[in-house]
Amino acid sequence: MAGAPAAATDRFAEWLADQAPNLQKAYAGLVSTSNRSQGANHLSQAVARKIVEYVAGQPELEATLYSARHRIATTTEPVKDKAGYSYAQLVKALGRDFR
């Protein structure tokens, strides 16, 4: 069982590689935790995967995710809990259905 989480991650990575470039960029930004990166949203990989899987194949939601993720990451508001703020803003942008 030790290889199960890695196998799941690998399947997701393979799936993501076949998706639109902006969806790939959005996922990378969602899980980024770099303190130097203005593009960091600090979400867990599990949460980001669920969001990306939800919007995949829905061009309007993919575009919304891409633009909302960037807008959230580059906010000039002081944010103490970047992950919580990011998630709340994504719920507003994408709707509550993906939760």
Side-chain angles (χ1 to χ4, degrees), residues 8-33:
T9 302
D10 291 345
R11 280 193 300 272
F12 177 77
E14 290 173 12
W15 173 83
L16 186 61
D18 290 334
Q19 302 303 309
N22 280 351
L23 192 58
Q24 295 172 27
K25 290 175 189 173
Y27 176 76
L30 288 173
V31 297
S32 175
T33 58

Side-chain angles (χ1 to χ4, degrees), residues 28-82:
L30 288 173
V31 297
S32 175
T33 58
S34 170
N35 288 331
R36 291 181 286 160
S37 172
Q38 278 267 311
N41 288 108
H42 299 262
L43 296 178
S44 73
Q45 288 184 355
V47 170
R49 271 196 309 267
K50 289 201 181 290
I51 293 170
V52 168
E53 289 169 347
Y54 175 78
V55 303
Q58 302 179 68
E60 185 176 314
L61 288 181
E62 286 183 16
T64 299
L65 172 62
Y66 182 75
S67 60
R69 195 228 52 88
H70 180 73
R71 186 176 58 256
I72 294 162
T74 58
T75 184
T76 56
E77 294 179 41
V79 177
K80 289 183 182 181
D81 175 12
K82 189 71 166 193

